[in-house]
């Protein structure tokens, strides 16, 4: 198990990844090339077909010592840049990001990881920035934390969340209160059989304002060392499944589908994703 409680975003992450990660409703193609020498480390090109709309972007990663820069250009003529300085001091990470032509997108973030705490704070680089702070205290077995955002222009809190997590070798349970107390999320992740990467998970979401509950359960299983299947279903009748095959090291082919069991007359949705890496 990892050392320390991690960051606030790690609370409930295992269950979220099991239930939602890799499910694809569109057609996506990604190819990455690497440079073994020099400052340029990788170039990643991706294209996504959403109905009749095609979106594409090219991401270039540059790295020198402990500084990594990611520069991405998309079909909307947006230039996004993220610069990460890893460990300028023990346990510390600094992240600077901005997007052109959005002049209000600049942001500076600091992350600090300790054996008994994880802290992340960010501030927008504008005259009246939004300030975000998240902190977790505990260990890799039990942790409690909060995540808040404050708008200095309006003087209001735009986000106020809290969460708690319990873990052991094969089970992780998390409880979070989100949307300023409007939504309560409980999640559960359990490794059933490590040798076949078999695991199950569930998420229950309750909205206090509408008194509605959303329940999602899912599972995954490795058919062989290179092929994984996943499935999930929720109480709204949406059933999803996928199969992912690593046909060469780090290169993945994924087929996923969705069926509305309460409206079987509607056509099923299918998605494809192909990621190529040398």
């Amino acid at each position: 198990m990892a050392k320390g409680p991690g960051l606030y975003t790690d609370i409930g992450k295992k269950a979220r990844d099991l239930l939602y990660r890799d499910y694809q409703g569109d057609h996506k193609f990604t190819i990455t090339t690497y440079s073994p020498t020099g400052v340029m480390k990788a170039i990643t090109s991706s294209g996504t077909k959403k109905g009749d709309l095609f979106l594409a972007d090219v991401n270039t990663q540059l790295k020198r010592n402990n500084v990594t820069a990611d520069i991405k250009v998309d079909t909307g003529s947006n230039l996004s840049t993220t610069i990460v300085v890893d460990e300028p001091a023990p346990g510390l990470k600094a992240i600077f990001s901005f997007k052109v032509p959005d002049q209000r997108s600049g942001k500076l973030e600091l992350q600090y990881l300790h054996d008994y705490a994880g802290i992340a704070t960010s501030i927008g680089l504008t005259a009246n920035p939004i300030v975000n702070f998240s902190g977790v205290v505990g260990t890799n077995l039990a942790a409690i934390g909060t995540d808040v955002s404050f708008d200095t222009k309006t003087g209001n809190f735009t986000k106020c969340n809290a969460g708690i997590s319990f873990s052991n070798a094969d089970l992780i349970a998390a409880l979070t209160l989100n949307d300023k107390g409007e939504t309560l999320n409980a999640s559960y992740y359990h490794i059933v059989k490590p040798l076949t990467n078999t695991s199950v998970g569930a998420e229950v979401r309750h909205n206090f304002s509408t008194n509605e509950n959303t329940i999602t359960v899912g599972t995954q299983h490795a058919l062989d060392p290179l092929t994984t299947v996943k499935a999930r279903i929720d109480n709204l009748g949406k059933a999803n499944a996928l199969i992912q095959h690593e046909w060469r090291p780090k290169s993945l082919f994924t087929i996923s589908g969705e069926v509305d069991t309460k409206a079987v007359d509607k056509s099923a949705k299918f998605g494809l994703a192909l990621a190529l890496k040398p």
Side-chain angles (χ1 to χ4, degrees):
M1 296 180 65
K3 201 174 183 181
L7 299 174
Y8 183 84
T9 51
D10 295 323
I11 295 179
K13 185 177 185 300
K14 280 287 188 179
R16 290 195 302 272
D17 286 350
L18 172 66
L19 295 174
Y20 304 110
R21 186 178 176 181
D22 294 326
Y23 287 99
Q24 182 72 245
D26 307 307
H27 298 164
K28 185 174 183 179
F29 176 80
T30 304
I31 183 169
T32 302
T33 57
Y34 293 95
S35 172
T37 60
V39 175
M40 183 176 295
K41 290 301 178 182
I43 297 178
T44 301
S45 302
S46 66
T48 304
K49 187 177 184 298
K50 295 177 177 285
D52 295 330
L53 186 65
F54 182 79
L55 304 174
D57 61 66
V58 177
N59 185 88
T60 301
Q61 185 179 83
L62 310 174
K63 187 169 184 179
R64 185 174 180 84
N65 298 326
N66 65 333
V67 180
T68 303
D70 285 282
I71 304 169
K72 183 171 71 173
V73 180
D74 61 28
T75 49
S77 299
N78 297 306
L79 175 65
S80 304
T81 301
T82 302
I83 300 173
V84 179
V85 183
D86 194 24
E87 294 220 334
L92 187 67
K93 179 184 289 186
I95 304 171
F96 171 62
S97 62
F98 64 91
K99 182 184 291 186
V100 178
D102 187 357
Q103 298 179 354
R104 296 179 54 86
S105 64
K107 185 172 71 172
L108 178 63
E109 180 178 357
L110 295 175
Q111 297 179 359
Y112 176 71
L113 291 175
H114 185 268
D115 289 350
Y116 301 103
I119 297 172
T121 182
S122 66
I123 183 171
L125 303 180
T126 63
N128 302 109
I130 293 178
V131 181
N132 180 264
F133 172 85
S134 65
V136 178
V137 294
T139 66
N140 57 348
L141 300 178
I144 186 171
T146 187
D147 181 22
V148 296
S149 290
F150 181 75
D151 191 335
T152 59
K153 184 177 182 179
T154 62
N156 297 321
F157 284 95
T158 58
K159 180 172 64 175
C160 188
N161 303 329
I164 188 169
S165 176
F166 298 97
S167 309
N168 63 23
D170 59 3
L171 186 148
I172 301 174
L175 185 68
T176 58
L177 187 63
N178 304 317
D179 305 322
K180 300 181 183 179
E182 285 291 318
T183 308
L184 182 68
N185 280 40
S187 64
Y188 163 85
Y189 173 84
H190 178 56
I191 301 174
V192 179
K193 194 173 182 180
L195 289 178
T196 57
N197 197 27
T198 304
S199 57
V200 295
E203 180 187 67
V204 179
R205 181 179 303 169
H206 177 75
N207 189 298
F208 291 103
S209 60
T210 62
N211 202 32
E212 293 180 347
N213 294 315
T214 304
I215 303 171
T216 306
V217 295
T219 185
Q220 74 174 18
H221 173 75
L223 299 176
D224 57 53
L226 301 176
T227 308
T228 299
V229 292
K230 294 176 66 174
R232 75 168 189 236
I233 189 169
D234 61 29
N235 63 324
L236 301 177
K238 297 289 181 66
N240 298 72
L242 71 79
I243 182 168
Q244 185 176 80
H245 179 68
E246 187 178 8
W247 58 283
R248 57 176 294 177
K250 299 181 182 180
S251 294
L252 302 173
F253 179 63
T254 307
I255 303 176
S256 57
E258 178 183 282
V259 176
D260 189 344
T261 60
K262 294 184 178 181
V264 292
D265 56 316
K266 293 184 179 180
S267 299
K269 298 179 181 178
F270 293 96
L272 299 172
L274 178 62
L276 302 178
K277 293 184 179 181

